[in-house]
Amino acid sequence: MMLAVFAALSLALLAGYCGPRWFAVWSMLVCLALSIGLFLFEIYNPDYGFRMPWLQVQLDTLPQVWPRGAHS
Amino acid sequence: MNMTPGARLPAALNDLFLFAVMLTMAAILTTAMVFQYHGGEIPCPLCLLQRVAMFGVCFGAILHFRHGYSARHDGISMLSALLLLIISARQTLLDIYPRPGHSYIGSAVFGLHMPVWSVLIAVAILLAFAIKLAALGGEGLSDRPPPALGRPARWLSFYVVAICLINLGSVIVQCGADACHTTEYRWLSGS
C-alpha cells in the first residue's frame, strides 16, 4: 500500500515538473486518497494498528458516588 | 499577459513565499533522509505518510512555478498541510503515552521528536498560507514567475522530484508491496 502511495506521488511530481497538469493533479488526488486510506488502516487494523490506552474508557469502572455522610 | 505595476509586488511576494515554503520542505525532507540513511533510523509508516504530505505541500509550489498562479495549487498545498497535521497529531498522541514497545521513533532534534516537529511545521504552513492569502489575495497573481526566481525554482523543483524518487526506491526496499516495519529493510534482510 505504501508502495502505491509513493508511486502515485512520484508520478504526480514528475508530471508536475515535466508532464501534463491534469495528469499531475489527478495523480496527486489519488495519492492523497490512498494516504488517507492507509492512515485509517494503520489506526484501525487489529494487527498493525495502534491503540491509545488513555482514550479507552469503555472498560473503566464507574466511580462510586456516595451520598454525603453515608460512607463512614 | 502583462501585469500592471501595482500587481508586480504581490506576484513577486507570492513567488518568494512559495519558493521559501518549497525550500523549507526540501530541507526538512533532506534532514529526515540523512537521519534515515546515515543514522540508520528506519521510518515508521506514519513517518512515511508525513513525508508524503510534505511532498504534497511542495507539489502546489512546483505547479505554480511551471504553470503560473492558481488558487487550486494553493488548495492542494493546504490540503496536504492539513493531512500532515492530522497524521502528526495522531502520532504525537500515540507516542506521548509511555508504555513498553511504544516510544518516540527516531532521535530528538532540539529536544523535540519528529512527529512533534511535524505538528509545528503543519500549523506554521497553514498559518503562513492563511496570512499570505489574506494579505495578497489571488487577484492579479495569474502570471508567469519573474525570470530571476524561475531558474532557482526550476532547480529546486527538480531536487524535490529527485528526493521523492529516492524515497520511492527506499520504500520498495523497506516495505516491498506489503506493510512497512521499523525493524528492518525487507529486501536487505533476505526474508
Side-chain angles (χ1 to χ4, degrees), chain A residues 25-66:
Chain A
V25 171
W26 274 107
S27 299
M28 195 66 216
L29 292 178
V30 167
C31 171
L32 288 177
L34 287 173
S35 300
I36 292 169
L38 184 55
F39 175 62
L40 294 174
F41 170 81
E42 291 289 342
I43 290 177
Y44 290 110
N45 185 276
D47 298 325
Y48 299 111
F50 306 116
R51 296 175 65 199
M52 291 193 280
W54 64 100
L55 293 180
Q56 306 289 328
V57 294
Q58 195 174 8
L59 299 179
D60 276 3
T61 53
L62 290 172
Q64 288 188 332
V65 180
W66 300 89

Side-chain angles (χ1 to χ4, degrees), chain B residues 23-109:
Chain B
L23 187 65
T24 307
M25 291 295 104
I28 293 167
L29 286 163
T30 304
T31 306
M33 290 166 71
V34 168
F35 274 106
Q36 178 182 354
Y37 301 126
H38 187 259
E41 297 177 358
I42 303 178
C44 62
L46 292 181
C47 309
L48 289 170
L49 285 178
Q50 286 166 48
R51 289 189 191 183
V52 170
M54 289 184 189
F55 278 116
V57 173
C58 293
F59 177 76
I62 289 174
L63 286 187
H64 167 76
F65 284 112
R66 181 158 174 241
H67 298 283
Y69 177 79
S70 168
R72 292 189 181 94
H73 303 159
D74 281 356
I76 292 175
S77 290
M78 293 179 76
L79 205 59
S80 301
L82 184 64
L83 182 66
L84 175 65
L85 179 62
I86 292 170
I87 295 172
S88 55
R90 176 63 168 80
Q91 191 178 7
T92 301
L93 286 173
L94 182 76
D95 293 344
I96 207 169
Y97 185 82
R99 61 196 191 280
H102 282 273
S103 57
Y104 280 113
I105 293 173
S107 1
V109 180

Side-chain angles (χ1 to χ4, degrees), chain B residues 1 3 6 53 58 96 101 107 128 146 152 155 166 186 190:
Chain B
M1 192 164 21
M3 299 183 80
C58 293
I96 207 169
S107 1
W155 278 109
I166 293 172
R186 185 182 298 271

